[in-house]
Amino acid sequence: MGNAFLQMLWTLVLAVLLSTSSGEDATLLKEERGTYSLIGTMDGSVSQHYANLGAPQVILFCPISGNTSAAQWFLNGKAVPEAARKDGSLILRNVTLAQSGEYSCRDSEAGLPLRRIHLKLGYPPEKPDVRCWSASYPAASCNWALPTETHLPTVFFSTYRHGLEGQEYECILSVAEANFCSIPNIQMFTIDPYVLNVTAANPLGSATRLFPIFLEQILKPDPPEAVTVSPIRGEKKKLLLEWKPPLSWRFPEYFPLKYTIRYWREGSHGRKSIRPTEQTSFVLTGIRSGATYYVQVAAKDFLDNGEYSAWSSPASGTAWSDGS
C-alpha cells in the first residue's frame, strides 16, 4: 500500500474522530490488558468516545477533585445502575448497543456537571466483500459491502494499479454511492492483473481487500434492448423475434456479441431455449397458432469471455391469423 494512500486514509479517519473536537484537548486512547478499548476526542463540552461492542470492560473517566466527595453517572439523563469508583470512573462490562449514548458525571452532593461523554459502540470493519464486472470493453465497475455491520460511521477508500508494482490511481467514485467505483481503460488479455484496493476505516480500525481483475474474466454485458415479437404475414406458426445490443456495449463492430433466446407459451410452465446466434433477429417456428408467446434474450461476448447478461424483460406476441 502506497505511503500517499496511507496518509490519506489516516487523515480521513482522524477527521471522523475529530469531527466534534475543537482541538483544545488531546485524543484519548485507553487500553489495559486487552480487557477493553476506548478511543475518543474531547472538546471541553462533550467528548466523543468509541469502544468495541462486547468488550469485557469499558472505563469512563470523571475528573473529580479533592473537593468532590463522589461522582454520580447518568446515561441520557437517567442515573445508571453501576456505581462510580472512588476515582470517579465508571466501569461498563460486556457492553451492548443499549449502553450507547450520552454519559454525564456529576458531583453527587453539589450536582455540578463534571464531564459529558458521548459513547458510541461498534466494531472495527472487516475486509470488504468486493465484486467487479464489465458491461463493455475496456472499463470495469466494482462495488463492495462489509460482511458485518459496524454500527459506526465507516468510510471507504479505493485505488487500483496494473500489477503489484504499477502506478496507483484513485478509483472513480460514484457521487451517489460510497461503495461503487469505475476503472476506465483497462488493458485486455494482460498477463498481470489490475489490483483494486478497497479499504474500510472507522474510529476503531481499518481493513483492506486486494481484488485482482482480469477484464476478460469479468465481462457481463447488460441485457439486450428493444426486444420485439412480431407476426409474419401469412405464417400461422412463426414469429419474428428482434432485438438490439445493449447501448452500454461499446464498439460492437470490433467486439461482437452472441445471443441466446428462451421462450414459453402463455399458461405453460416449461421454457425452451435456442442455441446462441450472432444475429439480432430470429424466426421462431413450430409454435401453436393463436397462442401468445413470451420471449427473453441474453447476451455474451462472442469469444465466450465472462458470463451471459441477465435476461431481457419479456416481450410477447401472437402469430398471424386470418383475421390479422
Side-chain angles (χ1 to χ4, degrees):
M1 188 183 301
N3 292 332
F5 178 79
L6 283 173
Q7 184 177 3
M8 176 186 70
L9 170 62
W10 290 114
T11 297
L12 291 175
V13 171
L14 284 175
V16 173
L17 280 172
L18 300 174
S19 59
T20 58
S21 172
S22 67
E24 297 177 356
D25 297 300
T27 298
L28 173 65
L29 174 62
K30 185 70 179 177
E31 190 167 359
E32 290 181 357
R33 299 172 188 169
T35 58
Y36 69 92
S37 64
L38 179 68
I39 187 169
T41 59
M42 296 176 287
D43 66 357
S45 56
V46 180
S47 57
Q48 300 288 331
H49 290 243
Y50 303 87
N52 284 282
L53 267 171
Q57 287 190 124
V58 170
I59 301 179
L60 305 180
F61 296 95
C62 185
I64 63 174
S65 64
N67 298 326
T68 303
S69 59
Q72 186 176 10
W73 284 88
F74 296 82
L75 171 58
N76 299 326
K78 296 182 180 180
V80 299
E82 297 86 354
R85 298 196 300 186
K86 290 183 178 181
D87 63 359
S89 61
L90 175 68
I91 298 180
L92 304 176
R93 302 184 187 279
N94 302 318
V95 290
T96 66
L97 281 175
Q99 292 170 289
S100 299
E102 185 173 308
Y103 286 82
S104 59
C105 67
R106 304 175 188 173
D107 184 315
S108 60
E109 292 185 356
L112 297 174
L114 300 173
R115 171 166 289 173
R116 292 164 60 201
I117 298 173
H118 191 176
L119 179 62
K120 297 181 179 181
L121 300 170
Y123 302 107
E126 300 177 45
K127 289 183 178 182
D129 293 328
V130 177
R131 182 177 73 95
C132 293
W133 69 97
S134 174
S136 178
Y137 294 108
S141 300
C142 299
N143 62 12
W144 49 85
L146 293 176
T148 303
E149 171 63 48
T150 66
H151 303 287
L152 293 174
T154 301
V155 292
F156 296 94
F157 315 98
S158 56
T159 62
Y160 69 93
R161 65 177 73 212
H162 188 191
L164 294 176
E165 304 299 328
Q167 183 177 349
E168 188 173 72
Y169 300 92
E170 288 189 30
C171 200
I172 302 172
L173 290 172
S174 167
V175 175
E177 297 181 79
N179 65 336
F180 177 92
C181 78
S182 299
I183 304 175
N185 301 320
I186 295 181
Q187 295 181 26
M188 295 177 290
F189 311 111
T190 177
I191 296 175
D192 294 323
Y194 283 75
V195 180
L196 177 68
N197 178 328
V198 179
T199 296
N202 68 21
L204 294 180
S206 65
T208 295
R209 173 79 67 185
L210 298 179
F211 189 85
I213 299 172
F214 288 100
L215 185 64
E216 59 272 17
Q217 294 180 1
I218 63 169
L219 278 175
K220 184 178 181 180
D222 288 328
E225 302 174 2
V227 180
T228 60
V229 182
S230 307
I232 302 174
R233 183 171 181 80
E235 299 288 351
K236 297 182 179 181
K237 294 190 176 184
K238 294 181 181 180
L239 284 169
L240 176 62
L241 317 181
E242 296 177 291
W243 59 88
K244 294 180 180 179
L247 190 61
S248 57
W249 186 261
R250 302 170 63 189
F251 314 118
E253 64 275 21
Y254 301 112
F255 305 107
L257 291 168
K258 61 180 179 180
Y259 305 93
T260 187
I261 302 165
R262 71 177 182 184
Y263 67 98
W264 64 98
R265 191 181 71 252
E266 186 175 48
S268 172
H269 298 292
R271 284 167 167 75
K272 296 182 179 180
S273 298
I274 297 172
R275 59 180 177 79
T277 175
E278 302 166 37
Q279 307 302 317
T280 55
S281 63
F282 185 85
V283 175
L284 188 62
T285 61
I287 64 172
R288 184 176 296 181
S289 179
T292 298
Y293 283 81
Y294 294 87
V295 174
Q296 290 178 297
V297 186
K300 189 178 185 182
D301 173 65
F302 175 73
L303 296 178
D304 219 32
N305 293 315
E307 60 182 297
Y308 269 102
S309 71
W311 290 104
S312 65
S313 298
S316 63
T318 304
W320 184 87
S321 63
D322 293 332
S324 298

